[in-house]
């Protein structure tokens, strides 16, 4: 009975795990090149900022402060990963499609 309980518990843990691994470093580089030319400091005045072209609303919703393009690269990367874990490639639909990220 204990073996069965352990097996069921293990299956429940697998079901709760993400269906796929986080995107690779290469995937993020492709996305950044498409979104911003891989420029973490990009501010073109279009209301989107940084390497991942965050809107301020999205950035603040992820706990970001200030402007995204002024944040450290590691901070932008972490916020992009957090957003991806919430919504997949949807925030970057055009570039994700162009780069084959699905």
């Amino acid at each position: 009975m204990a073996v069965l309980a352990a097996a069921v518990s293990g299956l429940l843990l697998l079901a709760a795990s993400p269906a796929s691994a986080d995107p690779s470093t290469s995937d993020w580089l492709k996305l950044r090149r498409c979104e911003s030319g891989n420029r973490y400091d990009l501010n073109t005045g279009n209301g989107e900022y940084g390497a991942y072209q965050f809107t301020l609303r999205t950035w603040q919703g992820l706990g970001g402060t200030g402007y995204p393009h002024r944040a450290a690269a590691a901070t932008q990367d972490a916020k992009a990963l957090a957003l991806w874990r919430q919504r997949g490639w949807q925030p970057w639909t055009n570039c994700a499609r162009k780069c084959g990220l699905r």
Side-chain angles (χ1 to χ4, degrees):
M1 192 55 96
V3 172
L4 178 60
V8 169
S9 177
L11 288 175
L12 290 175
L13 285 174
L14 285 174
S17 300
S20 63
D22 291 335
S24 69
T25 302
S26 173
D27 289 342
W28 287 117
L29 179 58
K30 289 176 194 174
L31 182 70
R32 286 193 310 271
R33 284 181 176 159
C34 180
E35 287 287 335
S36 66
N38 199 29
R39 290 189 47 208
Y40 285 89
D41 64 341
L42 187 65
N43 176 8
T44 62
N46 68 353
E48 297 177 345
Y49 307 89
Y52 301 97
Q53 294 292 277
F54 292 104
T55 64
L56 281 180
R57 182 177 181 178
T58 298
W59 181 253
Q60 292 166 350
L62 294 165
T65 59
Y67 283 88
H69 69 289
R70 294 182 181 157
T75 301
Q76 291 185 49
D77 292 343
K79 299 296 184 195
L81 178 59
L83 182 58
W84 182 86
R85 286 177 176 168
Q86 289 175 7
R87 298 170 50 192
W89 294 117
Q90 185 275 328
W92 306 282
T93 303
N94 292 334
C95 280
R97 183 175 40 248
K98 287 178 189 176
C99 296
L101 305 172
R102 287 282 168 180

